[in-house]
Amino acid sequence: MADRWNDNPRYVAAREIVVALRTAGHQAYFAGGCVRDLLLGVEAKDFDVATSATPDVVMGMFAKTYSVGAHFGVILICTPGEAGAEIATEVATFRHDGAYSDGRRPDAVRFSTDPREDVQRRDFTINGMLFDPLAGSGEEAILDFVGGREDLTNHWVRTIGVPKDRFSEDKLRMLRAVRFAARLDFGVDDSTARAINELASEITQVSQERIRDELTLMLTEGRARQAFEMLFERGLLQQVLPEAVKMQGVAQPPQFHPEGDVWVHTMLLLEKLHPGAPVTLAWAALLHDIGKPATFRLPDPKKPGDRIRFDGHVEVGVRIAETILARLRFSNEDTEQIIALVKNHMRFGDILQMRESTLKRFLRLPRFDEHLALHWMDCMSAHGDLRLYEFARERYETAPAEEIQPKLLVRGRDLIAAGYRPGPDFKAMLEAAEDAQLEGLATTTEQGLALIQKQFRTTNSDPASN
């Protein structure tokens, strides 16, 4: 069963750690998600090890270790990998957890030598199995004390033990239940689902960074639509992203959006996010129309043929998105790109009427491929007309980089050399020169300066007045 992993350097490194621990007389197994993935036949990202050896023993056995949570029994072991790279394997001591007063971590732990006791403190049955890599590759290598294999077969996400107890220990587990169910296309068993609904309001006790990371995984692991619909059903979305809930029931003009309201449209976009989608694109897909509920306006009965409108929804949406991203502690870099995607998603509607200089500036937006991807999803989740997308994609893919963003003919130093005094007009003058260059109207510095002299005849900028 594990033979398919023999070429995986992370598997090999983790197995060697198990061998070393076993040779020294300790129990050691693979634990957690890698065991689940083994049984599902999918590639595991990491191979974690659970052992009866205490943290100080683990650190004394291996050459390069880091204490990432020795109080909780967690040590990182670094071993040589391919091409000089290191492989980091997380090794955790069997333990029993005390009370969780902060709703995140146990106040105290007691190390154990019993793997049965260790798995009881884990979150879900499908994550609570152990695997013995030295017991062969058959079914006998799986140690299941919590019914995880049955739940995998029945496609259920179920807590280990009493659901309320598991969620009270770590409130983030409520989001993780939704994420695993959506990603694996599983259901959440009834008792677990009821507990989430009852405790949903307590998710606000979790740090915004942890909430952000779980939501991001939901958006980028596949089946994002199922995840966000489930978040709403379980009462969690109302707590972590109340702005998104407001999209429900907000009607749209059927001639442009035959699919339905703003929420339905947004869910259709999330449905099109493939596993591994860029984080910024995924969040922009969720937030691109977040300003529509606040700008909804019914047709004016005094104007025949008028329709539902969302005047200014982009500008309002940018402000709401900025608030959400700041609250969730997004990095400046990711925030800038997500906001750019929200801010520019309606500009494709004007692309055929754009001046050449405007079009080229549009096409050279950072990571324009994400703007294209968002527009494609936007169209395919509405009217399905891809003519503007195809035009933009063809221009973007065929225009040479030096044509879209050429070396500037006129810079500030050229203006100064020509006798202009630095001042408020400088920016507009340089933009005008670049426009002419992008339009093909100026091909030399002299031509650019001549155009500036013609357009900016003021006493503050005309070199003749200096």
Side-chain angles (χ1 to χ4, degrees):
M1 184 163 44
D3 293 342
R4 64 192 295 270
W5 286 346
N6 286 335
D7 294 331
N8 186 321
R10 291 186 175 276
Y11 168 78
V12 173
R15 189 180 187 279
E16 290 176 353
I17 291 170
V18 169
V19 170
L21 288 166
R22 292 281 188 85
T23 302
H26 306 288
Q27 299 177 70
Y29 306 96
F30 288 174
C34 65
V35 184
R36 177 197 67 231
D37 292 341
L38 168 65
L39 291 170
L40 290 174
V42 300
E43 195 67 31
K45 294 180 180 179
D46 296 294
F47 295 85
D48 296 337
V49 174
T51 180
S52 59
T54 57
D56 57 331
V57 171
V58 173
M59 295 185 74
M61 285 183 57
F62 298 93
K64 191 171 185 179
T65 63
Y66 295 95
S67 175
V68 295
H71 176 68
F72 303 103
V74 182
I75 302 296
L76 211 59
I77 297 176
C78 295
T79 52
E82 297 177 346
E86 285 189 333
I87 297 174
T89 303
E90 188 174 288
V91 178
T93 301
F94 298 154
R95 73 177 199 240
H96 170 77
D97 291 346
Y100 286 70
S101 60
D102 66 353
R104 178 183 180 185
R105 292 175 176 170
D107 298 333
V109 302
R110 174 176 53 81
F111 296 138
S112 171
T113 58
D114 185 356
R116 292 175 182 268
E117 186 175 28
D118 182 69
V119 299
Q120 293 300 323
R121 53 97 184 170
R122 296 178 181 268
D123 53 8
F124 307 110
T125 60
I126 59 174
N127 297 334
M129 295 173 285
L130 303 173
F131 173 71
D132 183 353
L134 309 186
S137 58
E139 303 268 328
E140 69 280 0
I142 301 295
L143 284 73
D144 181 12
F145 308 122
V146 294
R149 300 182 72 175
E150 182 179 359
D151 285 339
L152 274 182
T153 299
N154 295 328
H155 292 189
W156 283 114
V157 172
R158 178 169 60 90
T159 61
I160 295 173
V162 180
K164 281 189 176 181
D165 291 346
R166 295 290 80 77
F167 295 138
S168 295
E169 290 167 351
D170 186 351
K171 306 299 191 300
L172 191 71
R173 287 172 173 169
M174 292 188 283
L175 292 180
R176 285 169 57 82
V178 170
R179 176 164 67 86
F180 284 125
R183 189 183 86 189
L184 299 173
D185 199 17
F186 282 13
V188 178
D189 91 294
D190 290 343
S191 60
T192 302
R194 284 195 301 271
I196 295 174
N197 280 101
E198 291 176 23
L199 299 175
S201 63
E202 297 183 16
I203 193 64
T204 56
Q205 296 176 22
V206 177
S207 73
Q208 293 295 326
E209 292 89 345
R210 296 180 81 206
I211 291 173
R212 174 201 65 209
D213 291 346
E214 282 298 318
L215 295 178
T216 296
L217 288 171
M218 291 181 202
L219 287 168
T220 59
E221 286 185 341
R223 299 189 176 90
R225 176 178 182 171
Q226 289 92 320
F228 276 77
E229 289 177 341
M230 199 179 304
L231 284 174
F232 176 75
E233 292 168 4
R234 302 276 71 86
L236 290 166
L237 191 65
Q238 296 87 323
Q239 303 295 327
V240 297
L241 276 179
E243 300 91 344
V245 177
K246 293 179 181 178
M247 294 189 289
Q248 294 192 354
V250 178
Q252 301 188 99
Q255 59 267 48
F256 299 112
H257 289 279
E259 73 283 2
D261 67 27
V262 180
W263 171 261
V264 170
H265 171 69
T266 301
M267 292 302 102
L268 288 171
L269 263 80
L270 298 195
E271 198 171 64
K272 295 170 178 60
L273 287 170
H274 58 79
V279 170
T280 48
L281 173 62
W283 274 94
L286 176 65
L287 300 178
H288 77 290
D289 278 346
I290 201 72
K292 280 190 171 179
T295 56
F296 173 80
R297 183 167 64 80
L298 287 168
D300 187 344
K302 298 178 181 178
K303 297 180 180 179
D306 195 21
R307 61 173 177 82
I308 293 171
R309 297 187 181 276
F310 302 98
D311 296 335
H313 88 270
V314 170
E315 293 76 17
V316 172
V318 163
R319 292 196 295 271
I320 296 173
E322 287 174 338
T323 299
I324 292 171
L325 299 174
R327 183 176 73 230
L328 294 174
R329 309 286 198 273
F330 270 83
S331 69
N332 291 338
E333 181 181 355
D334 282 348
T335 295
E336 183 177 352
Q337 177 65 2
I338 296 168
I339 293 301
L341 288 163
V342 174
K343 183 178 181 179
N344 289 283
H345 81 275
M346 292 295 291
R347 292 185 66 192
F348 284 88
D350 301 322
I351 200 166
L352 297 180
Q353 289 75 45
M354 286 180 180
R355 293 174 53 193
E356 190 68 14
S357 57
T358 304
L359 174 60
K360 289 177 178 177
R361 281 197 171 93
F362 184 44
L363 296 177
R364 74 189 192 198
L365 286 172
R367 288 184 270 177
F368 188 75
D369 57 319
E370 293 185 16
H371 291 269
L372 275 173
L374 180 61
H375 180 62
W376 180 87
M377 290 190 291
D378 204 5
C379 293
M380 293 303 293
S381 302
H383 47 71
D385 187 345
L386 293 177
R387 286 175 295 177
L388 300 180
Y389 166 79
E390 295 294 352
F391 173 82
R393 183 177 64 85
E394 193 276 333
R395 284 298 305 268
Y396 175 67
E397 293 179 350
T398 60
E402 62 272 15
E403 179 182 311
I404 293 178
Q405 194 159 14
K407 182 178 179 181
L408 295 176
L409 295 174
V410 179
R411 298 179 180 272
R413 61 175 178 266
D414 298 310
L415 293 179
I416 294 172
Y420 292 93
R421 293 193 302 270
D425 288 341
F426 250 45
K427 181 179 179 181
M429 294 166 73
L430 292 172
E431 287 181 351
E434 186 180 5
D435 280 346
Q437 183 178 353
L438 293 172
E439 298 282 351
L441 301 177
T443 57
T444 66
T445 300
E446 290 72 20
Q447 289 176 342
L449 289 171
L451 182 143
I452 288 172
Q453 187 171 3
K454 182 178 180 180
Q455 288 190 16
F456 294 85
R457 294 188 178 279
T458 70
T459 56
N460 289 329
S461 60
D462 192 340
S465 65
N466 293 342

